[in-house]
Amino acid sequence: MIEVRVNSELKQVDAGKSLAALLADWGFDSGKVAVAINEDFVPRSIYASTLLKAADRVDIVSPVQGG
Amino acid sequence: MIEVRVNSELKQVDAGKSLAALLADWGFDSGKVAVAINEDFVPRSIYASTLLKAADRVDIVSPVQGG
Amino acid sequence: MIEVRVNSELKQVDAGKSLAALLADWGFDSGKVAVAINEDFVPRSIYASTLLKAADRVDIVSPVQGG
Amino acid sequence: MIEVRVNSELKQVDAGKSLAALLADWGFDSGKVAVAINEDFVPRSIYASTLLKAADRVDIVSPVQGG
Amino acid sequence: MSHATDMWTLYGAPFTSRLLIGSALYPSPAIMSEAILASGSEIITVSLRRQAPEEAGGQSVWTHIQKLNKTLLPNTAGCHSVKEAVTLAQMSREMFETDWIKLEVIGDDYNLQPDPIATVEAADKLVKLGFKVFPYCTDDLVICQRLRDAGCEVLMPWGSPIGTGRGLMNPYNLQTIRERLPDIPLIVDAGIGKPSHAVMALELGYDGILLNTAVAQASEPVVMAKAFRHALLAGRSAYLAGAMPERQTASPSTPTLGMPFWHQS
Amino acid sequence: MSHATDMWTLYGAPFTSRLLIGSALYPSPAIMSEAILASGSEIITVSLRRQAPEEAGGQSVWTHIQKLNKTLLPNTAGCHSVKEAVTLAQMSREMFETDWIKLEVIGDDYNLQPDPIATVEAADKLVKLGFKVFPYCTDDLVICQRLRDAGCEVLMPWGSPIGTGRGLMNPYNLQTIRERLPDIPLIVDAGIGKPSHAVMALELGYDGILLNTAVAQASEPVVMAKAFRHALLAGRSAYLAGAMPERQTASPSTPTLGMPFWHQS
Amino acid sequence: MSHATDMWTLYGAPFTSRLLIGSALYPSPAIMSEAILASGSEIITVSLRRQAPEEAGGQSVWTHIQKLNKTLLPNTAGCHSVKEAVTLAQMSREMFETDWIKLEVIGDDYNLQPDPIATVEAADKLVKLGFKVFPYCTDDLVICQRLRDAGCEVLMPWGSPIGTGRGLMNPYNLQTIRERLPDIPLIVDAGIGKPSHAVMALELGYDGILLNTAVAQASEPVVMAKAFRHALLAGRSAYLAGAMPERQTASPSTPTLGMPFWHQS
Amino acid sequence: MSHATDMWTLYGAPFTSRLLIGSALYPSPAIMSEAILASGSEIITVSLRRQAPEEAGGQSVWTHIQKLNKTLLPNTAGCHSVKEAVTLAQMSREMFETDWIKLEVIGDDYNLQPDPIATVEAADKLVKLGFKVFPYCTDDLVICQRLRDAGCEVLMPWGSPIGTGRGLMNPYNLQTIRERLPDIPLIVDAGIGKPSHAVMALELGYDGILLNTAVAQASEPVVMAKAFRHALLAGRSAYLAGAMPERQTASPSTPTLGMPFWHQS
């Protein structure tokens, strides 16, 4: 298990799991969010092949109102 | 004959003629003008009974654009 | 005795007393005030010969700051 | 002889002469001007050891009013 | 609120458009007619002048104005005394068959401002003669109160001098008049040069605008007339909608909560 | 000209309405939808934020925005660095399936003004990444020129700080930008508080307005939305019509020729 | 011109300072005295009020004012009718032994503006009674002309309502009065809040300023008094010096001729 | 506070006068000298230009400037690139024997505004070269912060474009800069046309003014110089004195208590 930050919350995750699997575990619908790791954009197309490293900072965002 | 001012022009007029007759002489259609004598309003209804005096100042006006 | 208003206060005064005497009674220095009765100015020169009538409105003013 | 631009004027100069000597030839008092060559500042202290190259752009300026 | 139901009344007569428009200074009578129609205005100002008999007969702008079949508001433009204004008003009432009169008594030939004292005196006389007076006045609260006390049921303070197009020179005064006289229709007359000026006036709570030069002297009077039609709808809706308060400091519109890239260490 | 034919284009896409509107700060999603429809706007700004999974699923304003079926303009509001803005733009492009991005890189948290230097740098990077950038910038001509040189095909200088409703703080600067950059679409973004502000911007020759708070925080957002719809039509027509020049001194509208009561002695 | 020789006259009396100052609203009589001395003013406004006999005797601000040994300008502040103003003026003339009177006839208790009609009527009566009238009036050219015609040899239009400190609400009107009445001393009375307001008034060609609150209610009245002393010297000199015209476009001050680094190729 | 003790410091050097003045555009060198002396200024801006040898020898304004024996502030006016500005600064340092430099990098030849990006870059380079930089910049808070971060110990935002005399185009921005950067000396450079503009800047808390055209191009430069001398004293004292707050509604200065003629019935 490694420790990462997801939307600034500390989480323990299985280092072997893909980002796609983790998003599902965390309850997110991959089609309805966008993701960045350590402030770099991660395209949806590579969620399945993306693994997290210890101390990664993961941002998961979804649409809201804006001005 | 007496001398009057009509719209600031000097005119010689027959002292016996009514305002109605004079307006016709001058080419005005009584229905399409309004008249003042010496800066007092003269209603159309009394043109026929109105006589001019020497030195009267007659104003004859008709509609124009306005702001 | 008659009743008058002095600076809007009701006062009983001796009808025979002059304004000059009344000012003194009331504690005013004639030289340091100006007077109006019923909104008419009363010059200092006639205080001694001025008598009040019932219901007179007397104004006694003195210098203050102003803008 | 080489050709240079001095304050945007073409001049033929002796390639062997120092900037100090050229300024004197051109009538400038070294103490009353500042110089740049090809938009690089040239300190007064090295005028004597500075030689021009063909096509050099020489700026010689002196004090004026400013806002 | 729907504009259809957002009527206002002048001396008891209901109107939908909040624009009163002049008929002078247009490139041609045809453009005047087209512009007035495009403006949506229901009230047109007119005047009386000496004319040669043949013109008085009617080959003139006047025939075009009549064809528009709008409510007429005759003016006393150019009058410099109470006497002149009252007499011209009487002549207008007979000629135009209306007891409405836009009262102008000019007090100075340089800024063409109304004479406050003569305007109040003339308004008083005209009301007693049965006129429904639309007084052109300055943005002076006390004069406005006197005119209302004289029986005027609408007031028309200037925005700025006639024909300058400077808009609202003194919004503070105009606002003061609105606050102190909340119930009488207020029309900004004179000085409007651009649609933004008209919108500002209605945002302040004014009920209408009277203008002429801004449309007539625009490069494209018909297009400008349409611009003012929209401006009055915009300004009126803005007033009814209640604008946000002006703030001294910035505040974000997009939510700050949930901003990405921030991580507590 | 008829409004139907008075289209404008943003990155090649034609639009009729000159209002771009935000989706934040409304009393409710329902009022947001009604107000946006009343405004006539065809372009809505949206954003991305961290949300709990259940919200991210979509029980939110977002579902209402989608139903409006308008063109979306995602923003990078809240970003303080080039890096943050570029990454959020990439996330937006994937999420909203558009290469349009309203670029905001905040330079100061007090006045929320854009960072001129970082905005130019971010715009350059985003254009190279294939984005169609709508940069929020200050009213600085030189920064506007740099943004255009970086490949921005529209510029969005502020009127005044976000959410202040102070309108056009510096009309002189805005006018200078218009005169020096006559061919690029210019949109006043931020600071618009009242319809009169929007009319002024278009009278200056600006092509459009982007606002949010002025409508969302009005007492009656739907009515204010309608007010702005009319304001943009008024301002655009006024620009096309060519306003009269402002004059220093008064000049009468009603003819002076033929004024009665005058008699040469 | 040297300030020593730049005198002006009010009803024939010459003065150097262009500031008329009020004596009310100071934190203490001592600060009042110090501030008035620091202001350089030569004319102080005073009033008359009902007081208890002991105060009327003189334990009051009045004794401090007398010690300053300045020219006094009594006012009719608070009067609402011609009758009240005329009577109070007569009482002032006897009490202060001066025929100078600052005429105030309030027309509205909300903006405390002068009643234009009553002010003209009162001025006429007072002039006939031998007073030298300083009328407080609005920025209305026609009312100013009436007051001059009534015999006022100085006019005092307001800048903005008393005590608001809003400065010159309507510079256009003030400038018009100056242009149309070039020969009569004009003093801006009321509304001055900052020295910049006073400088603007004198730059417009006004001859002097009458103020009270701006100094008395400043955090440091004595320092503000000094600020206004300099402001009046600055404004007057600026007017005499003839300011540069405002320009639409930039032009360099430093010479462009001889700019280095430029080389024709 | 006494003006004698109200000093300010620029890069550690103390000054009494808050006016920095240019030496260009005067009718003659003699008038320049007289005006600068009358202005009380202790700092004069100068420049470097190509001149014919005989002029460079010194038959010029420069000899008059030297005689004034004031602190010199050389400028880089006319430079359009970082390179030009840095080189001209180095030439100035040698020629004028001062490490002070007024940094101007023009970004647009129409409004002559500084190039914000190039100015920050040049300032950074010059500070590293040991210069004491006085950057001419726009009224952009973020650019001002960058300049301070680059090591500038004074900032000179514009009031409006050089030579326009339009005064403070955007007081809100200038005030924001003052509030956000309370400790660094701020000088309004460019755009000052009248003494009232200078007073306004100091009332906002600005520390000084740099101008040239307003004095040099006045009808009477010497008198205008004196006007500005008083204006700076007025503005500074006003700031120190703490002006009254602006109020929305009127309030009387003369006491209402004890008003005569009122009688309860």
Side-chain angles (χ1 to χ4, degrees):
Chain A
M1 299 295 280
I2 57 172
E3 186 176 74
V4 298
R5 286 190 177 280
V6 179
N7 288 353
S8 90
E9 278 173 41
L10 286 174
K11 284 186 188 293
Q12 306 296 324
V13 303
D14 174 342
K17 274 199 175 178
S18 73
L19 176 58
L22 290 169
L23 286 171
D25 292 352
W26 297 329
F28 289 103
D29 173 342
S30 293
K32 292 180 169 168
V33 297
V35 176
I37 298 177
N38 302 329
E39 298 192 15
D40 286 316
F41 170 56
V42 179
R44 196 173 288 142
S45 55
I46 64 167
Y47 289 174
S49 58
T50 300
L51 299 179
L52 299 185
K53 302 180 313 302
D56 274 348
R57 287 172 283 104
V58 181
D59 276 291
I60 305 165
V61 297
S62 52
V64 298
Q65 60 274 30
Chain B
M1 298 293 280
I2 56 172
E3 185 176 72
V4 298
R5 285 191 177 280
V6 178
N7 289 352
S8 91
E9 277 175 43
L10 285 176
K11 285 188 187 289
Q12 306 297 324
V13 304
D14 175 341
K17 273 199 175 179
S18 73
L19 175 59
L22 291 169
L23 287 170
D25 293 352
W26 296 330
F28 288 104
D29 172 342
S30 292
K32 293 180 169 168
V33 297
V35 177
I37 298 177
N38 302 327
E39 298 192 17
D40 287 316
F41 171 56
V42 178
R44 196 173 287 142
S45 56
I46 64 168
Y47 290 174
S49 58
T50 300
L51 298 180
L52 299 185
K53 306 180 312 303
D56 274 348
R57 287 172 283 104
V58 181
D59 275 291
I60 305 166
V61 296
S62 52
V64 297
Q65 61 274 30
Chain C
M1 297 293 281
I2 56 172
E3 186 176 73
V4 298
R5 285 190 177 280
V6 178
N7 289 350
S8 91
E9 278 174 42
L10 284 175
K11 285 187 187 289
Q12 306 298 322
V13 304
D14 174 341
K17 273 198 175 179
S18 74
L19 176 59
L22 290 169
L23 286 170
D25 293 351
W26 297 329
F28 289 103
D29 171 343
S30 292
K32 293 179 171 169
V33 297
V35 176
I37 298 178
N38 302 329
E39 298 191 16
D40 287 316
F41 171 56
V42 179
R44 195 173 288 143
S45 56
I46 64 167
Y47 290 173
S49 58
T50 299
L51 298 179
L52 299 185
K53 307 180 310 303
D56 274 348
R57 286 172 284 103
V58 181
D59 275 291
I60 305 166
V61 296
S62 52
V64 297
Q65 60 273 31
Chain D
M1 299 294 281
I2 55 171
E3 186 176 73
V4 298
R5 286 191 177 280
V6 179
N7 289 352
S8 91
E9 279 174 42
L10 285 175
K11 283 187 189 292
Q12 306 298 321
V13 303
D14 175 340
K17 274 199 176 179
S18 73
L19 176 57
L22 291 169
L23 286 170
D25 292 352
W26 297 329
F28 288 104
D29 173 340
S30 293
K32 293 180 169 167
V33 296
V35 177
I37 298 177
N38 303 328
E39 298 192 16
D40 286 316
F41 171 55
V42 179
R44 195 173 289 144
S45 55
I46 64 168
Y47 289 175
S49 58
T50 299
L51 298 179
L52 299 184
K53 303 180 313 302
D56 274 348
R57 286 172 283 103
V58 181
D59 276 290
I60 305 165
V61 297
S62 52
V64 298
Q65 60 273 31
Chain E
M1 68 95 228
S2 99
H3 288 306
T5 63
D6 177 42
M7 310 286 284
W8 63 315
T9 61
L10 294 167
Y11 285 102
F15 296 94
T16 301
S17 168
R18 291 169 177 279
L19 180 63
L20 292 74
I21 194 162
S23 53
L25 301 175
Y26 293 84
S28 75
I31 291 177
M32 175 200 75
S33 299
E34 198 185 343
I36 290 174
L37 290 172
S39 76
S41 177
E42 300 163 290
I43 302 171
I44 307 178
T45 51
V46 291
S47 198
L48 288 175
R49 288 294 183 260
R50 295 165 171 175
Q51 294 182 92
E54 56 281 13
E55 286 154 2
Q59 278 54 261
S60 75
V61 177
W62 169 231
T63 53
H64 289 75
I65 295 171
Q66 287 171 297
K67 287 206 193 73
L68 292 169
N69 194 32
K70 304 282 190 184
T71 299
L72 297 182
L73 177 59
N75 69 32
T76 63
C79 291
H80 285 68
S81 70
V82 172
K83 172 72 173 175
E84 288 180 358
V86 170
T87 299
L88 192 56
Q90 291 171 300
M91 297 166 88
S92 294
R93 177 161 58 178
E94 180 184 75
M95 187 69 237
F96 296 110
E97 297 172 320
T98 176
D99 50 12
W100 281 21
I101 190 72
K102 175 185 170 183
L103 175 61
E104 285 185 53
V105 187
I106 298 307
D108 182 81
D109 285 328
Y110 178 89
N111 67 355
L112 295 177
Q113 78 162 80
D115 179 326
I117 297 173
T119 300
V120 170
E121 185 182 338
D124 183 66
K125 283 189 157 59
L126 289 168
V127 167
K128 290 186 169 60
L129 288 168
F131 284 89
K132 297 183 164 65
V133 181
F134 291 65
Y136 166 57
C137 55
T138 60
D139 54 9
D140 183 304
L141 170 61
V142 171
I143 296 298
C144 285
Q145 289 166 327
R146 297 282 176 286
L147 289 165
R148 179 206 52 189
D149 298 345
C152 297
E153 296 180 16
V154 54
L155 302 171
M156 306 204 298
W158 72 352
S160 44
I162 297 173
T164 59
R166 299 178 72 85
L168 310 185
M169 281 192 311
N170 194 336
Y172 182 92
N173 270 11
L174 292 172
Q175 187 166 10
T176 300
I177 294 167
R178 175 74 293 173
E179 289 168 2
R180 295 287 285 156
L181 302 172
D183 301 324
I184 193 169
L186 294 175
I187 295 169
V188 169
D189 179 8
I192 299 298
K194 300 195 187 85
S196 54
H197 300 154
V199 178
M200 273 184 266
L202 268 66
E203 285 172 346
L204 284 176
Y206 276 61
D207 298 283
I209 297 293
L210 194 163
L211 59 80
N212 186 339
T213 310
V215 165
Q217 300 278 289
S219 310
E220 300 282 352
V222 178
V223 178
M224 188 58 86
K226 183 190 300 177
F228 274 102
R229 177 166 61 79
H230 286 293
L232 286 150
L233 294 171
R236 179 60 180 175
S237 294
Y239 174 68
L240 295 171
M244 64 179 281
E246 194 173 300
R247 301 198 188 103
Q248 180 62 21
T249 51
S251 68
S253 43
T254 303
T256 49
L257 185 71
M259 180 66 199
F261 311 131
W262 170 84
H263 297 271
Q264 64 210 125
S265 31
Chain F
M1 66 92 233
S2 97
H3 288 305
T5 63
D6 177 41
M7 311 285 284
W8 63 315
T9 62
L10 294 167
Y11 285 102
F15 296 94
T16 302
S17 169
R18 291 169 176 277
L19 180 62
L20 291 74
I21 194 162
S23 52
L25 301 175
Y26 293 83
S28 75
I31 291 177
M32 174 199 75
S33 299
E34 198 185 343
I36 290 174
L37 290 173
S39 76
S41 178
E42 298 163 292
I43 301 171
I44 307 179
T45 51
V46 292
S47 199
L48 288 174
R49 288 291 183 262
R50 295 167 170 173
Q51 294 182 91
E54 56 281 13
E55 286 155 1
Q59 277 52 260
S60 73
V61 176
W62 169 231
T63 53
H64 289 75
I65 295 170
Q66 286 172 297
K67 289 207 193 72
L68 292 169
N69 193 31
K70 304 282 191 184
T71 299
L72 297 182
L73 177 58
N75 69 32
T76 64
C79 292
H80 285 66
S81 70
V82 172
K83 172 74 174 172
E84 288 180 357
V86 169
T87 299
L88 193 55
Q90 292 171 299
M91 297 166 90
S92 294
R93 177 161 57 178
E94 180 183 73
M95 187 70 237
F96 296 110
E97 299 172 319
T98 176
D99 51 11
W100 281 22
I101 190 72
K102 175 184 170 182
L103 175 61
E104 286 185 53
V105 187
I106 297 307
D108 182 82
D109 285 328
Y110 178 89
N111 68 355
L112 295 178
Q113 79 162 80
D115 179 325
I117 297 173
T119 299
V120 170
E121 186 182 336
D124 184 65
K125 282 188 160 55
L126 289 169
V127 167
K128 290 184 171 60
L129 288 168
F131 284 90
K132 297 184 165 64
V133 181
F134 291 65
Y136 165 56
C137 54
T138 60
D139 54 8
D140 183 303
L141 170 62
V142 171
I143 295 299
C144 285
Q145 289 166 328
R146 297 284 177 283
L147 289 165
R148 179 206 52 191
D149 298 345
C152 297
E153 295 181 17
V154 54
L155 301 171
M156 307 205 295
W158 71 353
S160 45
I162 298 173
T164 60
R166 300 176 74 84
L168 310 185
M169 281 191 313
N170 193 336
Y172 181 92
N173 270 10
L174 291 172
Q175 187 166 10
T176 300
I177 293 167
R178 175 75 292 176
E179 289 168 1
R180 296 284 286 156
L181 301 172
D183 301 324
I184 193 168
L186 293 175
I187 295 169
V188 170
D189 179 8
I192 299 297
K194 299 196 188 86
S196 54
H197 301 153
V199 178
M200 274 183 265
L202 269 66
E203 286 171 347
L204 284 175
Y206 275 62
D207 298 283
I209 297 292
L210 195 163
L211 59 79
N212 187 339
T213 311
V215 166
Q217 301 277 291
S219 310
E220 299 282 352
V222 178
V223 179
M224 189 58 86
K226 183 191 297 177
F228 274 102
R229 178 166 61 80
H230 286 294
L232 286 151
L233 293 172
R236 178 61 180 175
S237 294
Y239 175 68
L240 295 171
M244 64 178 281
E246 195 173 300
R247 302 197 188 103
Q248 181 62 20
T249 52
S251 68
S253 44
T254 303
T256 49
L257 185 71
M259 179 65 201
F261 310 132
W262 171 85
H263 297 271
Q264 63 210 123
S265 33
Chain G
M1 67 95 228
S2 98
H3 288 306
T5 63
D6 177 41
M7 310 287 284
W8 63 315
T9 61
L10 294 167
Y11 285 102
F15 296 94
T16 302
S17 168
R18 291 169 176 278
L19 180 62
L20 293 73
I21 194 162
S23 52
L25 301 175
Y26 293 84
S28 75
I31 291 177
M32 175 200 75
S33 299
E34 199 186 341
I36 289 174
L37 290 173
S39 76
S41 177
E42 298 163 291
I43 302 172
I44 308 178
T45 51
V46 291
S47 199
L48 287 175
R49 288 293 183 262
R50 296 166 170 174
Q51 294 181 94
E54 56 282 13
E55 287 153 2
Q59 277 55 258
S60 74
V61 177
W62 169 231
T63 54
H64 289 76
I65 295 170
Q66 287 172 296
K67 288 208 193 74
L68 292 169
N69 193 31
K70 304 282 190 183
T71 299
L72 297 182
L73 176 59
N75 70 32
T76 63
C79 292
H80 285 67
S81 70
V82 172
K83 172 72 173 175
E84 288 180 359
V86 169
T87 298
L88 192 56
Q90 292 171 299
M91 297 166 89
S92 294
R93 178 160 58 178
E94 179 184 75
M95 187 69 236
F96 296 109
E97 298 172 320
T98 176
D99 50 11
W100 281 22
I101 190 72
K102 175 184 169 183
L103 175 61
E104 285 184 53
V105 187
I106 298 307
D108 182 81
D109 285 328
Y110 177 89
N111 67 355
L112 295 177
Q113 78 162 79
D115 179 325
I117 298 173
T119 300
V120 170
E121 186 182 336
D124 183 67
K125 282 189 159 57
L126 288 168
V127 167
K128 290 186 170 59
L129 288 167
F131 283 89
K132 297 183 165 65
V133 180
F134 292 64
Y136 166 57
C137 56
T138 60
D139 54 8
D140 183 304
L141 170 61
V142 171
I143 295 298
C144 285
Q145 289 166 327
R146 296 284 176 284
L147 289 165
R148 179 206 51 191
D149 298 344
C152 297
E153 295 181 17
V154 54
L155 301 172
M156 305 205 298
W158 72 353
S160 45
I162 296 174
T164 60
R166 299 178 72 86
L168 310 186
M169 281 192 311
N170 194 336
Y172 181 93
N173 270 12
L174 292 172
Q175 186 166 11
T176 300
I177 293 167
R178 176 75 291 176
E179 288 169 1
R180 296 286 285 156
L181 302 172
D183 301 324
I184 193 168
L186 293 176
I187 295 169
V188 169
D189 179 8
I192 299 298
K194 300 195 186 86
S196 54
H197 300 155
V199 178
M200 275 184 265
L202 268 65
E203 286 171 348
L204 284 176
Y206 276 61
D207 298 282
I209 298 292
L210 194 162
L211 60 79
N212 186 341
T213 310
V215 165
Q217 301 277 290
S219 309
E220 299 282 353
V222 178
V223 179
M224 189 58 87
K226 183 190 298 177
F228 274 102
R229 178 166 60 79
H230 286 294
L232 286 150
L233 294 171
R236 178 60 180 175
S237 294
Y239 175 68
L240 294 171
M244 64 177 282
E246 194 173 300
R247 301 197 188 105
Q248 181 62 21
T249 52
S251 69
S253 44
T254 303
T256 49
L257 185 71
M259 180 65 199
F261 312 130
W262 170 84
H263 296 271
Q264 63 211 126
S265 30
Chain H
M1 66 92 232
S2 99
H3 288 306
T5 63
D6 177 42
M7 311 286 284
W8 63 316
T9 62
L10 294 167
Y11 285 102
F15 295 94
T16 302
S17 168
R18 292 169 176 279
L19 180 63
L20 292 74
I21 194 162
S23 52
L25 301 176
Y26 294 84
S28 75
I31 290 176
M32 175 199 75
S33 299
E34 198 185 345
I36 289 174
L37 290 173
S39 75
S41 178
E42 297 162 291
I43 301 171
I44 308 179
T45 51
V46 292
S47 199
L48 288 174
R49 288 292 184 262
R50 295 166 171 174
Q51 295 182 91
E54 55 282 12
E55 285 154 2
Q59 277 55 259
S60 73
V61 176
W62 170 231
T63 53
H64 290 75
I65 294 170
Q66 287 172 296
K67 288 207 194 73
L68 292 169
N69 194 31
K70 303 283 191 184
T71 299
L72 296 182
L73 176 58
N75 70 32
T76 63
C79 291
H80 285 66
S81 70
V82 172
K83 173 74 173 172
E84 288 181 357
V86 170
T87 300
L88 193 55
Q90 292 171 299
M91 297 167 89
S92 294
R93 179 161 58 178
E94 181 183 74
M95 187 69 237
F96 296 111
E97 299 171 319
T98 177
D99 50 12
W100 282 21
I101 190 71
K102 175 185 171 183
L103 175 60
E104 285 185 52
V105 188
I106 297 306
D108 182 83
D109 286 329
Y110 178 89
N111 68 354
L112 295 177
Q113 79 163 79
D115 179 325
I117 297 173
T119 299
V120 170
E121 186 182 336
D124 183 66
K125 282 189 160 57
L126 289 168
V127 167
K128 289 184 171 60
L129 288 168
F131 284 90
K132 297 185 166 65
V133 180
F134 292 64
Y136 166 57
C137 54
T138 60
D139 53 9
D140 184 302
L141 170 62
V142 171
I143 296 298
C144 285
Q145 289 166 328
R146 297 282 176 286
L147 289 165
R148 179 206 52 190
D149 297 344
C152 297
E153 296 180 17
V154 54
L155 301 172
M156 306 205 296
W158 71 352
S160 45
I162 298 173
T164 60
R166 301 176 73 85
L168 310 186
M169 280 192 311
N170 193 336
Y172 181 92
N173 270 11
L174 292 173
Q175 186 166 11
T176 300
I177 294 167
R178 176 75 292 174
E179 288 168 2
R180 296 284 286 155
L181 301 173
D183 301 324
I184 193 168
L186 293 176
I187 295 169
V188 169
D189 179 9
I192 299 297
K194 299 194 188 85
S196 54
H197 300 154
V199 178
M200 273 184 266
L202 269 66
E203 286 171 346
L204 284 175
Y206 275 61
D207 298 282
I209 297 292
L210 194 163
L211 59 80
N212 187 339
T213 310
V215 166
Q217 300 277 290
S219 310
E220 300 281 353
V222 178
V223 179
M224 189 58 86
K226 183 190 298 176
F228 274 102
R229 178 166 61 79
H230 286 294
L232 286 150
L233 294 171
R236 178 61 181 174
S237 294
Y239 174 68
L240 295 171
M244 64 178 281
E246 195 173 300
R247 301 199 188 102
Q248 181 61 20
T249 53
S251 68
S253 44
T254 303
T256 49
L257 185 71
M259 179 65 200
F261 310 132
W262 169 83
H263 296 271
Q264 64 209 125
S265 32

